[in-house]
Amino acid sequence: MTTGGYDPNNPTGGQAPYGQPPQGNNPPPQGPGGYPPPPQGPGGYPPPPGNNPPGSYPPPPQGAGGYPQGGYPPPPGNYPPPPPFQQPQQGGPGSGQISVGDAVSYAWKKFGENALVWVGISVIALLISVVIQLIFGSSFTADASGDLSFSALGLIGMFVSTIVGYLINAAFIRGALHEIDGNKPAFGSFFQFTNVAAIVIASLIVGVATTIGFFLFLIPGLIVAFLTWFTLPFIIDQNQEPIDAIKSSFNLVKNNAGPLLLLALTFVGLNILGAIPCGLGLFVTIPMTLIGSTYAYRVLTQRYVSAV
């Protein structure tokens, strides 16, 4: 044995390779407390416990519920991902289903909850029409011999009455949309629409087409009126342009012709019954027709419908 130099009998300096007994006369190295130092792994750190292959690590200690100690469980609930957004098809055919009984029942309940306002606005509409007629008179005048001639003032009155009639019809539909939205309309609520030009233009186009159809043996006029039934709801509710609204109504009615025809015949029958007692029943059946028709439009286009 040499002192302070290299010992050829103990080239490791008194430390045997890992896992072999010490060589030579040097005592084994002592760690803290007189115990042998722990075996060293890669990087100078003790190897992980257990029979782990090189480069692997044991799993972290488990706490309650099987989650790592100090960790947090995932949030409760197993919610599916939200459905992908789909842009609504303006004027596209709706896939909803309409029941005649549901539409009539809905219209009756909504009218009953706000009957005073609906009857009042109907009376106002009638008075406006009567006043216009009194101011401008008839479009035709008859002389002493019974020959008819046009009256310029009467023609102006007929034009004014037609435009006012279009706006009154739009006001009724606006009120019906309020009912469908769950808002009881007041008198001012009926006139909350801004697209007046589109309403007038679309109504003129539909009116002219329907009139021509009536002159062609009546049936074509009824078909035109049926196919353009929802033109104004598409304009007032979805702010569509006149031609687009007419196309939207055509597609919607065409794809739901059966149930809508039954609904239309039902409302025609109700209004015939309403006209029997001196026309007083029309103050009930006309608002019901407007509410029920608007309900059908909202259901078939899968838009919002409030509960009753």
Side-chain angles (χ1 to χ4, degrees):
M1 177 178 181
T2 60
T3 304
Y6 174 72
D7 185 358
N9 296 322
N10 190 7
T12 61
Q15 291 186 353
Y18 177 68
Q20 297 182 9
Q23 298 178 1
N25 298 320
N26 297 314
Q30 301 296 317
Y35 298 98
Q40 301 299 309
Y45 298 99
N51 188 17
N52 300 295
S56 65
Y57 298 92
Q62 301 297 311
Y67 302 105
Q69 291 180 354
Y72 296 94
N78 186 17
Y79 301 102
F85 175 77
Q86 295 181 355
Q87 183 69 24
Q89 297 180 356
Q90 298 290 329
S95 59
Q97 295 181 352
I98 185 67
S99 165
V100 174
D102 290 343
V104 174
S105 175
Y106 187 92
W108 171 250
K109 291 179 181 178
K110 285 294 186 179
F111 170 80
E113 293 173 357
N114 204 21
L116 184 61
V117 171
W118 278 101
V119 173
I121 198 69
S122 300
V123 172
I124 291 174
L126 177 62
L127 292 177
I128 291 174
S129 300
V130 171
V131 169
I132 293 175
Q133 184 67 25
L134 292 176
I135 292 175
F136 294 99
S138 175
S139 302
F140 302 94
T141 58
D143 55 19
S145 61
D147 295 332
L148 296 177
S149 60
F150 287 104
S151 168
L153 186 61
L155 290 175
I156 294 174
M158 183 177 66
F159 177 78
V160 172
S161 179
T162 300
I163 301 300
V164 171
Y166 293 156
L167 297 179
I168 289 175
N169 190 25
F172 276 119
I173 293 174
R174 176 71 269 178
L177 287 169
H178 279 303
E179 293 283 7
I180 306 301
D181 288 333
N183 306 317
K184 290 184 179 181
F187 287 106
S189 304
F190 284 82
F191 301 95
Q192 291 178 342
F193 52 85
T194 58
N195 41 4
V196 176
I199 291 171
V200 173
I201 293 173
S203 299
L204 282 172
I205 295 174
V206 171
V208 170
T210 304
T211 302
I212 294 175
F214 280 141
F215 280 108
L216 299 176
F217 304 105
L218 185 67
I219 300 299
L222 293 175
I223 294 175
V224 171
F226 180 59
L227 292 174
T228 58
W229 187 359
F230 299 113
T231 299
L232 289 188
F234 275 107
I235 293 177
I236 299 171
D237 190 37
Q238 302 189 36
N239 200 31
Q240 292 192 3
E241 295 299 321
I243 300 300
D244 293 334
I246 293 172
K247 292 179 180 179
S248 298
S249 178
F250 179 89
N251 291 329
L252 187 66
V253 175
K254 179 189 66 174
N255 288 280
N256 301 275
L260 286 178
L261 180 60
L262 292 177
L263 184 63
L265 293 175
T266 300
F267 284 135
V268 168
L270 284 176
N271 284 285
I272 291 175
L273 293 177
I276 292 176
C278 301
L280 296 178
L282 294 175
F283 290 107
V284 176
T285 59
I286 289 178
M288 283 185 59
T289 300
L290 291 163
I291 296 173
S293 300
T294 308
Y295 168 85
Y297 151 79
R298 277 285 183 88
V299 170
L300 292 175
T301 54
Q302 295 184 304
R303 298 172 73 85
Y304 177 75
V305 175
S306 66
V308 293

